[in-house]
Amino acid sequence: IIVVSRLDSKLHTPMYFFLTNLSFLDLAFTTSIVPQLLWNLRGPAKTIASTGCILQLYVSLSLSSTECVLLTIMAFGRYVVVC
């Protein structure tokens, strides 16, 4: 979605702008959570440093709240178009 919306000039509309940002958020969310999960599943020590935990929590919460705001804006935009 990111590449296609950037390459095609007809897709430079607000809907595709929000879809691109949503794709970026999903990509960032996945790359911030999955590596630590895989690291913990791989080894016998299932621990994480407190600073790493706090950083991962902060990144996770900020990305999740940004995604919720973005979805709310998209839903409101769709409501305005329909009504």
Side-chain angles (χ1 to χ4, degrees), residues 35-72:
Q36 184 65 40
L37 173 73
L38 292 175
W39 183 259
N40 282 341
L41 290 176
R42 181 178 164 265
K46 310 266 190 253
T47 61
I48 184 172
S50 62
T51 56
C53 181
I54 292 170
L55 181 66
Q56 189 173 11
L57 177 68
Y58 174 74
V59 169
S60 170
L61 289 177
S62 63
L63 289 173
S64 297
S65 61
T66 305
E67 187 170 0
C68 288
V69 168
L70 189 63
L71 287 172
T72 303

Side-chain angles (χ1 to χ4, degrees), residues 1-2 17-33 59-74:
I1 292 176
I2 297 168
F17 171 76
F18 287 122
L19 284 176
T20 302
N21 285 332
L22 190 63
S23 297
F24 274 126
L25 278 172
D26 288 339
L27 183 65
F29 191 72
T30 302
T31 57
S32 68
I33 300 296
V59 169
S60 170
L61 289 177
S62 63
L63 289 173
S64 297
S65 61
T66 305
E67 187 170 0
C68 288
V69 168
L70 189 63
L71 287 172
T72 303
I73 292 171
M74 290 172 70

